Amino acid sequence: MSSRRRSRYERLLRWYPTAWQRANGQLMLDTLEQAADAHERALPSISEAWSIRAHGLVERATPATIAVIAGLALALSAVPMVALWAGGFNSSPWLLALTLGAQYSGALVASLAAGALLLRTSLIPAEHALCAATAAVPAWTFGALMAASWSVGFDEADAGTGMSWFGSATLLFACLAWLFGILALLPLTLAAFRHLSLHSVRWALGVALGAIGALAVGIMCLLPAGSILISAAALLVAGRLIPSTPRAPRRHPSRPEMRRPLSPRNRRQLSVAAAASAIIGLGCVAFALTGSLWGIATLDATDTMRIGILAGSLAATITVAASAVALFARVGPPVAAAAAALTAALVMVALSYSLRDGDPNGWMLLVLAGIATGLAGGLLVTPLLPARWWLRALLVAGIAAAIAATVGILGIIMATFISPVVAIVLAVTMARRPRSARATPKLAPANAG
């Protein structure tokens, strides 16, 4: 027995979690020593050391750990969006480099979180997964260099000063990023064709699928929204995998009263409110699209569009409030919080379009409206999330960031054109009698006189 070999094995076993080492470390160490004596190895082999590291990382890849990694990826991926909204891309080259570094670091961490989730499905061996993670590091590094090179080259071409070696190396960095991206996806694509008996066909299809997948993921993550979506999806899946602690249900005397089904009178009131919102909203849409043809000399198409969106956003608040009341019996308090956030977003849109065109405060109000829209989406799915408060808060923040960064601003602006349709559906639904209240015909007894 070699003390040097034993100390090397002890260092390798540190890749496992501390709890695992306390429970199984000594037994595993003795087993490794016996296997090394049987094969007459003075030190752990390269493949053996790689396997120990890989399986140690598997033990560490718990759903809670993956959720934390995905949350970190989401935070990093949100940095470019914040810089874009704040106009940071036009400030200085150093800030541009910082935002690009954060964007591609977020993409790397997001891919590691997604890979850890795939690893838990036992689709690929732990050793292959570690190879994929290792290849992902240079893939995203060269991707960041590609983006920086393109930006530098664009500025140099615009200034007419000639291209530097870095500014002209965009294609080289892109090819290297693609190559390492293929290597990172190769274990997964080969596992997808593991049923094929011919190794040459399996490798050809695996490489082809890896090339397509690496190109698709790279193009998707050229924009920060791509890595934000991947991070949010990994965060949501990991959060759902974390076991919830069973808790005794708490009774609230007022809650059954608050969640009673709507009475016929309340349904009629909601139907009338939704119908009124639909009529006002359709008028706002018509004015926004065709108001310049109504013969109002002082208003052009831009003015009528702004006035239509302003008034339509305020009319949409009626639809939001009526929908919240209608859904409260099913969803509970989260729908009230989501409605409050969405109402605040609509009011901020109205305030933004009430300002003169080009006012910088208008854009800031739209950014805040997009954030509030994302928060409304995150709050609305709260009943589907795990019960642990920290995990629920993390998931709500992740979903809110994903919605705000992708469709938040555009979606809340388009609410003027969407809310009349929602209002019509709500008005018709509330006007109909609920199934539980529909009377079933009673059959008269057979011997009735």
Side-chain angles (χ1 to χ4, degrees):
M1 180 182 296
S2 171
S3 59
R4 182 185 175 192
R5 183 183 66 188
R6 188 174 183 86
S7 63
R8 185 70 62 85
Y9 277 128
E10 289 176 347
R11 286 199 299 270
L12 288 172
L13 290 178
R14 291 173 187 168
W15 286 75
Y16 284 83
T18 305
W20 189 96
Q21 294 181 43
R22 287 196 298 264
N24 308 294
Q26 190 60 43
L27 177 61
M28 185 66 174
L29 184 60
D30 295 338
T31 303
L32 292 172
E33 285 282 358
Q34 293 174 5
D37 290 336
H39 293 85
E40 298 181 351
R41 288 196 298 262
L43 291 174
S45 63
I46 297 177
S47 60
E48 186 182 23
W50 188 265
S51 178
I52 294 173
R53 294 188 185 98
H55 285 88
L57 291 177
V58 170
E59 292 293 332
R60 290 182 180 273
T62 61
T65 303
I66 298 174
V68 172
I69 295 174
L72 175 61
L74 188 61
L76 290 171
S77 302
V79 170
M81 294 301 300
V82 175
L84 178 63
W85 289 341
F89 283 106
N90 301 323
S91 300
S92 68
W94 292 108
L95 186 57
L96 176 61
L98 177 62
T99 53
L100 285 177
Q103 175 181 343
Y104 283 89
S105 297
L108 170 61
V109 179
S111 62
L112 293 179
L117 286 174
L118 290 175
L119 182 59
R120 290 185 59 83
T121 64
S122 301
L123 184 63
I124 55 178
E127 295 84 357
H128 296 176
L130 185 56
C131 291
T134 304
V137 175
W140 289 114
T141 301
F142 284 119
L145 291 174
M146 176 204 68
S149 174
W150 180 85
S151 179
V152 170
F154 184 84
D155 291 340
E156 291 174 345
D158 188 47
T161 57
M163 299 286 286
S164 63
W165 72 268
F166 185 77
S168 59
T170 303
L171 182 59
L172 173 62
F173 290 139
C175 292
L176 290 174
W178 191 21
L179 174 62
F180 281 100
I182 295 173
L183 294 178
L185 292 179
L186 196 56
L188 181 61
T189 56
L190 290 177
F193 297 108
R194 61 181 179 274
H195 61 280
L196 297 178
S197 57
L198 292 176
H199 291 284
S200 57
V201 176
R202 179 188 175 195
W203 273 87
L205 292 176
V207 171
L209 184 59
I212 297 173
L215 185 62
V217 173
I219 293 176
M220 179 180 179
C221 291
L222 281 175
L223 297 176
S227 55
I228 287 176
L229 289 175
I230 296 175
S231 305
L235 180 60
L236 182 60
V237 174
R240 298 290 294 174
L241 292 177
I242 296 177
S244 299
T245 304
R247 296 182 301 179
R250 294 179 296 179
R251 296 186 176 275
H252 296 271
S254 60
R255 185 165 295 180
E257 182 70 19
M258 293 170 61
R259 295 198 184 186
R260 285 187 310 175
L262 294 171
S263 64
R265 181 171 176 271
N266 291 336
R267 293 177 67 90
R268 285 193 299 269
Q269 291 174 346
L270 289 178
S271 179
V272 171
S277 177
I279 294 172
I280 298 172
L282 289 174
C284 294
V285 171
F287 185 79
L289 298 178
T290 64
S292 60
L293 305 177
W294 291 12
I296 305 176
T298 59
L299 298 178
D300 58 10
T302 302
D303 295 330
T304 57
M305 178 64 72
R306 293 178 65 86
I307 295 173
I309 293 177
L310 187 157
S313 299
L314 296 177
T317 58
I318 303 175
T319 304
V320 171
S323 302
V325 174
L327 293 174
F328 188 84
R330 292 179 175 270
V331 182
V335 75
L342 197 57
T343 301
L346 290 169
V347 171
M348 283 187 280
V349 170
L351 290 175
S352 173
Y353 278 86
S354 68
L355 302 175
R356 59 181 177 81
D357 194 13
D359 193 321
N361 293 323
W363 171 247
M364 184 56 62
L365 285 170
L366 288 180
V367 170
L368 294 176
I371 296 173
T373 304
L375 180 60
L379 292 172
L380 196 58
V381 298
T382 301
L384 304 177
L385 302 179
R388 296 179 178 176
W389 68 270
W390 64 269
L391 181 58
R392 177 171 291 192
L394 184 61
L395 288 173
V396 168
I399 296 171
I403 295 175
T406 52
V407 297
I409 297 178
L410 180 61
I412 197 62
I413 294 176
M414 293 299 295
T416 296
F417 306 94
I418 299 173
S419 64
V421 179
V422 178
I424 293 173
V425 173
L426 179 62
V428 173
T429 303
M430 292 293 103
R432 297 177 59 189
R433 297 178 65 186
R435 291 183 179 181
S436 59
R438 293 174 188 172
T440 56
K442 296 183 179 181
L443 298 179
N447 58 353

